[in-house]
Amino acid sequence: MISCLAPFVCLGLISFYTIDSIIGNKVEGALQSNLKQDLMTLENTLNNLSHVSQQLAYGGGTNRLIEQLELEEEPYERLRLNNEIRNELNNITFSNPNIGLLMYYDPEERLYEFENFRIRGDFNPEKLPLMAEYPEISYYGPHLSYNGSINQYVFSIMRKVNLPDQNLYLYIESGRNALKTLFAPQNRKESSRRLLLLENAGRIAFSEVPAAFAEQGMFPNPDPATQSGNAGGYFWNKETSNQGWSLVSVIPENEINQERNRWLIQISGIFLLFLILAVFVAWLLWKMVYRPLDKFHKEIKSLIHSDKREREELTHIPEFDYLLYQTRSMKRKIWALYDEIEQKEKRRADLEVEKLLYQINPHFLMNTLDTVHWLALMNGQKEIDKLVLSLNKLLFYNLGKMGETSTIGDEIEALKEYLQLQQIRYDFQFDVDIDVDEKSLGLSSPRFLLQPMVENALYHGVSDDGYIYVGVALQEEGLQITIQDNGAGMSREMIDQLMDEDTEDSHKIGMGIGMKYVKRILRANYGEEARLHIRSELGKGTVVTLRLPATAPVHASAIASATPLMPATGGEQP
């Protein structure tokens, strides 16, 4: 879920700040543009009022008529001049639609005259909201018009009229439609945008939202150079005119944030849908990955508990179910191997007991033979003494009582004892020639290696006047042992059957058991480094050649496993 939601959340935050910046710049730019347009409209209106007032205040026609009226005492002439002044003013009003109420005002007498529209109430310019004041002209507004025929906000100016010996001011209001789009809240209810008018010092001269920005109070803007900001729950923009007064538009902050909030609602809805999708995907992953892995975990833990009932629950996902099947099959095989090992260990313990029992009998046999030896010696039976002594030495060597390892010299000595026994046993004469390199006597050798091959040659290869040659030579390639006889020999088929120890025919040949032992003990001690070769011809004899590595050590464990505790071999099946 984190991997799904993290990119979306990051993208959402970046989008939010981007959209917020875009919306803020867009709204602020639109408000500022509208405010500039309003300021331009207001400046044009005030410039028009100033231009008309300047024309009347310094023009010769109207001022001359007012001077004549001041000096005239004839009633008819005064009436004519009065009508002529009004006509002049009406012409100016009709020719300029942006001009509204126009009249002359005497501040000392607090009287007004020559008004072009009916006056509403008592005219008092001191109550008007002063916007800007200069030596000869003052700007007011916006305020409710004194024109009795309209009911809207207008701007007005008062300018001193250039007349000698008279303190007279010209009062002019903006027209009916001049500022209808600016300061006419009663005609503009659909928009929440409102305007403030600030005098040169920053005091609020007029406010359309007096609850937040009271008139005659200071506008909350510590930095006059700032053009926008937030105050009183409103966002404001300000534009300053050339005369120094400022126009401010304010709009509620919640309306500014309306578009942003709408975007937030939309993105929140999308995020909710994405969250639901992420939860659904996470649930699928949990169901399709985590639960099967949890079952695998339980299966692996159950491998060490054979007494537990085998689980049959499945994930219903073909790939995971196949792996579960393989795991359970492996578990069954492992525990089958455990049972087999346990049985073998039990059998090994039994064999250890049997081995001890078998070791007792050779001890008894050799001790008995030793007793026979001394009896024969005491009774002068030299042949029997010689026979028993050779047999005792041979048994002592072959049964491993001299240690687990052996040497070529020990093998030669044991072979001599064996041949001496065989010369007494057989009723025919044979010669044995033993040729051993003295350098090879100290080399290590497997126990009971030479006797089986010599016994095979004696039993199968020779008869009367037979000859057996045993040669041991140390060469550069290794130790070479040769056993040669002049007997009947063997065919190639018999040699192949003899060398193939896995066939049943090899056991039917007379010397198969001895050769099988020799091959196994060579493989156990030397691996592939030892070589056994048989060369024979029918009627000419047989040559058996062994080639052993001269430096290869004899492994005690291999000898123990390959050398059985066996009695001296007979001639029937060595």
Side-chain angles (χ1 to χ4, degrees), residues 515-529:
M515 293 304 295
K516 179 179 179 181
Y517 166 77
V518 171
K519 286 187 288 184
R520 288 192 175 183
I521 199 171
L522 290 177
R523 185 183 306 114
N525 286 274
Y526 302 107
E528 299 296 330
E529 297 182 12

Side-chain angles (χ1 to χ4, degrees), residues 299-312:
E299 286 289 338
I300 296 301
K301 289 180 63 177
S302 68
L303 289 177
I304 62 176
H305 302 291
S306 63
D307 55 342
K308 281 195 173 183
R309 181 177 61 87
E310 185 172 338
R311 301 173 181 268
E312 297 294 339

Side-chain angles (χ1 to χ4, degrees), residues 520-556:
R520 288 192 175 183
I521 199 171
L522 290 177
R523 185 183 306 114
N525 286 274
Y526 302 107
E528 299 296 330
E529 297 182 12
R531 295 287 183 272
L532 172 63
H533 181 261
I534 300 176
R535 186 178 74 255
S536 179
E537 293 184 21
L538 292 175
K540 295 184 179 182
T542 302
V543 179
V544 179
T545 304
L546 288 178
R547 186 174 295 278
L548 309 178
T551 58
V554 178
H555 302 287

Side-chain angles (χ1 to χ4, degrees), residues 353-548:
V353 175
E354 293 180 8
K355 180 179 178 181
L356 292 176
L357 292 177
Y358 289 148
Q359 286 178 347
I360 294 174
N361 292 332
H363 273 286
F364 174 75
L365 176 61
M366 286 185 290
N367 290 335
T368 303
L369 290 175
D370 193 56
T371 301
V372 173
H373 158 66
W374 286 108
L375 288 174
L377 187 63
M378 292 171 60
N379 292 293
Q381 301 291 332
K382 295 183 179 180
E383 291 294 328
I384 297 175
D385 173 51
K386 184 178 179 181
L387 176 64
V388 171
L389 184 61
S390 297
L391 177 61
N392 198 9
K393 290 181 179 180
L394 185 61
L395 288 176
F396 191 77
Y397 174 76
N398 286 344
L399 292 177
K401 296 304 180 182
M402 297 177 65
E404 293 296 337
T405 60
S406 181
T407 63
I408 294 295
D410 295 333
E411 279 289 299
I412 296 298
E413 293 298 325
L415 180 61
K416 291 178 180 180
E417 298 294 339
Y418 168 75
L419 291 174
Q420 186 173 349
L421 288 174
Q422 296 300 85
Q423 286 176 349
I424 298 173
R425 176 187 176 191
Y426 289 113
D427 57 353
F428 60 86
Q429 297 295 322
F430 60 89
D431 293 329
V432 179
D433 184 11
I434 300 176
D435 182 15
V436 181
D437 189 349
E438 293 184 359
K439 297 180 180 179
S440 64
L441 294 177
L443 297 179
S444 60
S445 170
R447 185 182 302 276
F448 199 62
L449 178 63
L450 299 179
Q451 180 183 328
M453 293 186 292
V454 173
E455 190 168 0
N456 282 327
L458 179 63
Y459 181 71
H460 297 282
V462 299
S463 57
D464 285 338
D465 298 327
Y467 174 77
I468 298 175
Y469 171 77
V470 179
V472 179
L474 182 61
Q475 302 176 354
E476 293 182 0
E477 295 82 3
L479 184 65
Q480 179 168 316
I481 301 175
T482 305
I483 294 92
Q484 181 178 0
D485 64 71
N486 60 350
M490 294 182 294
S491 64
R492 170 53 57 183
E493 290 77 10
M494 294 178 63
I495 294 175
D496 294 340
Q497 292 175 3
L498 185 64
M499 296 298 291
D500 189 3
E501 62 181 34
D502 294 330
T503 62
E504 295 182 358
D505 294 336
S506 65
H507 299 285
K508 296 178 182 179
I509 303 174
M511 57 181 176
I513 297 176
M515 293 304 295
K516 179 179 179 181
Y517 166 77
V518 171
K519 286 187 288 184
R520 288 192 175 183
I521 199 171
L522 290 177
R523 185 183 306 114
N525 286 274
Y526 302 107
E528 299 296 330
E529 297 182 12
R531 295 287 183 272
L532 172 63
H533 181 261
I534 300 176
R535 186 178 74 255
S536 179
E537 293 184 21
L538 292 175
K540 295 184 179 182
T542 302
V543 179
V544 179
T545 304
L546 288 178
R547 186 174 295 278
L548 309 178

